Amino acid sequence: MEIANLVVTLICVISFTCTHAKIGYFWHITDFHYDPLYTSQGDTRRHCRRADERGSSGHHRALGRFGDYSCDSSLELIESAARYMRTRHSENVEFVLWTGDIIAARYTGNEDDKYQAIRNMTDLLSRTFSSHFVFPVLGHLDPAPSAQLTNLWMHWLPLEALQTFQNGGYYTIEQSHSKLRIVALNTNLFSIRESNSPQARSQWDWLDAVLDKATTNKEMVYIVGHAAPGSDSRYAYDTSADANAKYLQTVRRHSRIIAGQFFGHLHADTFRVIYDHDRPVSWALLAPSVSPHRDPAGSSNPGLRLYKFDTNNGKVLDYTQYYLDLAAANRNTGAAEWTAEYNLTQYYGLHDVSANSLHNLADKLRIGTPQETTVFNKYIRAYNVRHESSDSCDGACAHQHFCAITCLEHVAYRQCVEAAASALAAAGKSAPLVAPLITRLLTILTVVVLLL
């Protein structure tokens, strides 16, 4: 009888624990690249802006109402994204992460015009999330920290956060109702140009102190920034090698309390795994941009991301990626139709969102078997946010993705890519997806062992 009572008690305790895990949601939006001068009568040679009478030769194609892959975002595109976000889990959204590059890459206005563009986007998000906090960070296209920028966002940030933001563009949010702390970084201070500045040194000292305090208080931490650590084929090195290495060391040291890292910048849907002595200890998820994107390395549709998490401890449970098929939206006469693209755990068959699970997923991107080729094809489809591209990704391209995900130190990434290039050169051709690089390497190693 006592055993039966004990079993019942345990079941009740487990049931109580499970039912009291509070589920919440938060949005991650990034890289608006808002261009107030975009017009559907514009010229792609002038970044989708109207050509003057003398400069216009009439040789430009019609542009879409919601934007063009060759240009930055129209106001109508961003407004359509805001309208859609209002319809998704609005009652359970806890906050919004807004990770920089608010204004267009080729914005030609003066400083007052730039601040007005940021004010317009701030007002739009304030109306969209009237009862929620939006936590913004600075991208490399945004103005430097200032009193003017701080005043724009003071309705979202507490006094302590406003002070450090105005001084260096970084801040922390201590949540009173949970053990989750948000740490917003100014990743511009990791750049080659600014990594040795007094502001950069102050951010490092501040970050160490905040993470030490979180450890003492038994808090979990979200690290939020614009540019993720590591490298990628879409962008040349901009982050200082020393700053990149220092950031990775910091994450390794505090990996037990870091519940997630969230970045943008790449205009692509991908992830990063951080290792400590070959053991996966932390992860970063990179969200695609709201702005459409086209460059020689690949193109992508506009995207929005909604995370599902345990509000008690910050554990990320899943996310749903939404997207807009820009070409289809421009063909339609009605409103832009944003739709769910995929759900992370279902799409990749993950048991959970963890460093181990993402490490195992990265391992499958090396396309060694037909099953792994299928996984990589799914990954590259998500990476481009379902943009239909005629460009193929061969074995060298696939291995470059694997290197970017798993080798975040600059030297390690370069060595990883060069090893793939050497193997392909020795084979005398670029390996297609069905004849992957990893298989060739294993074959070579096997022959060497047999000869010995």
Side-chain angles (χ1 to χ4, degrees):
M1 190 69 178
E2 291 182 2
I3 294 176
N5 289 336
L6 180 60
V7 170
V8 170
T9 302
L10 286 172
I11 291 173
C12 290
V13 169
I14 293 170
S15 175
F16 179 87
T17 302
C18 292
T19 55
H20 282 72
K22 188 188 174 200
I23 303 302
Y25 298 84
F26 66 89
W27 285 102
H28 182 188
I29 50 179
T30 190
D31 294 85
F32 279 17
H33 283 234
Y34 166 50
D35 188 353
L37 301 178
Y38 176 91
T39 169
S40 58
Q41 286 78 48
D43 188 335
T44 55
R45 295 168 301 177
R46 295 176 60 85
H47 320 303
C48 297
R49 298 166 187 170
R50 191 184 303 277
D52 57 38
E53 291 301 321
R54 290 181 302 169
S56 178
S57 62
H59 296 297
H60 62 270
R61 57 185 166 80
L63 303 177
R65 169 187 170 191
F66 294 103
D68 188 271
Y69 293 104
S70 299
C71 302
D72 289 312
S73 294
S74 68
L75 178 60
E76 287 197 80
L77 170 64
I78 300 173
E79 288 178 334
S80 75
R83 284 193 298 271
Y84 186 76
M85 285 190 287
R86 271 200 299 265
T87 68
R88 314 305 301 173
H89 295 283
S90 57
E91 69 283 359
N92 292 322
V93 170
E94 300 286 327
F95 53 83
V96 180
L97 304 180
W98 188 20
T99 54
D101 274 9
I102 301 166
I103 54 178
R106 300 179 182 89
Y107 193 72
T108 54
N110 58 34
E111 287 302 305
D112 288 340
D113 291 335
K114 289 180 180 179
Y115 279 109
Q116 184 58 51
I118 294 173
R119 182 179 291 109
N120 291 343
M121 294 297 97
T122 299
D123 291 344
L124 175 62
L125 291 181
S126 295
R127 295 192 302 271
T128 303
F129 302 104
S130 57
S131 59
H132 303 92
F133 288 103
V134 177
F135 300 131
V137 299
L138 297 175
H140 66 287
L141 300 176
D142 301 321
S146 65
Q148 189 174 1
L149 196 55
T150 304
N151 290 336
L152 276 181
W153 294 337
M154 65 186 303
H155 60 296
W156 286 328
L157 305 179
L159 180 60
E160 181 183 357
L162 291 171
Q163 292 172 343
T164 57
F165 179 80
Q166 182 168 331
N167 292 333
Y170 51 86
Y171 60 90
T172 184
I173 301 293
E174 185 176 354
Q175 309 231 61
S176 58
H177 60 283
S178 73
K179 284 291 187 178
L180 175 63
R181 175 184 291 271
I182 295 172
V183 175
L185 298 178
N186 181 0
T187 59
N188 297 331
L189 296 177
F190 297 159
S191 68
I192 295 170
R193 186 179 62 184
E194 297 191 49
S195 61
N196 291 318
S197 66
Q199 292 85 355
R201 290 192 291 271
S202 295
Q203 180 172 234
W204 285 121
D205 293 341
W206 168 87
L207 179 59
D208 285 338
V210 167
L211 293 177
D212 286 342
K213 181 180 179 181
T215 300
T216 300
N217 294 345
K218 298 181 179 179
E219 297 169 332
M220 299 302 290
V221 172
Y222 283 172
I223 295 179
V224 184
H226 178 64
S231 310
D232 190 88
S233 60
R234 281 195 172 182
Y235 291 92
Y237 292 130
D238 180 53
T239 302
S240 152
D242 289 343
N244 186 70
K246 189 169 185 176
Y247 178 80
L248 296 174
Q249 290 168 2
T250 300
V251 170
R252 291 181 185 112
R253 189 165 64 250
H254 295 281
S255 61
R256 290 187 179 182
I257 66 164
I258 296 174
Q261 301 170 70
F262 308 92
F263 299 96
H265 180 53
L266 287 187
H267 297 243
D269 182 344
T270 186
F271 62 99
R272 301 287 183 261
V273 181
I274 297 174
Y275 297 85
D276 190 5
H277 296 97
D278 296 327
R279 181 173 61 91
V281 295
S282 192
W283 52 261
L285 293 172
L286 283 63
S289 55
V290 171
S291 171
H293 183 73
R294 172 180 286 152
D295 68 20
S299 303
S300 56
N301 279 307
L304 305 165
R305 182 170 291 177
L306 182 64
Y307 282 92
K308 178 182 179 181
F309 76 116
D310 184 333
T311 60
N312 292 322
N313 56 22
K315 169 68 176 172
V316 172
L317 304 174
D318 216 335
Y319 71 67
T320 301
Q321 183 64 44
Y322 299 92
Y323 83 110
L324 176 70
D325 184 331
L326 184 64
N330 285 331
R331 288 194 299 267
N332 295 337
T333 56
E337 295 184 5
W338 290 82
T339 187
E341 181 188 1
Y342 72 91
N343 171 273
L344 175 65
T345 56
Q346 293 177 6
Y347 189 67
Y348 289 118
L350 304 181
H351 295 298
D352 61 4
V353 183
S354 65
N356 278 322
S357 289
L358 291 171
H359 160 76
N360 291 334
L361 173 59
D363 220 32
K364 294 176 183 176
L365 300 181
R366 295 195 286 181
I367 54 175
T369 67
Q371 181 184 0
E372 289 169 346
T373 300
T374 301
V375 174
F376 180 79
N377 286 338
K378 294 181 75 170
Y379 164 79
I380 206 69
R381 193 180 306 121
Y383 183 85
N384 293 324
V385 199
R386 293 225 179 163
H387 181 272
E388 296 299 331
S389 174
S390 59
D391 299 331
S392 61
C393 188
D394 62 10
C397 164
H399 197 81
Q400 197 166 45
H401 280 277
F402 173 77
C403 294
I405 292 168
T406 60
C407 300
L408 274 62
E409 287 85 355
H410 288 180
V411 172
Y413 172 76
R414 189 164 58 248
Q415 290 172 342
C416 182
V417 172
E418 288 173 354
S422 298
L424 290 170
K429 61 179 180 179
S430 179
L433 283 178
V434 294
L437 170 67
I438 192 65
T439 302
R440 294 173 178 269
L441 291 174
L442 289 174
T443 302
I444 293 169
L445 288 172
T446 302
V447 171
V448 171
V449 170
L450 290 173
L451 290 174
L452 292 175

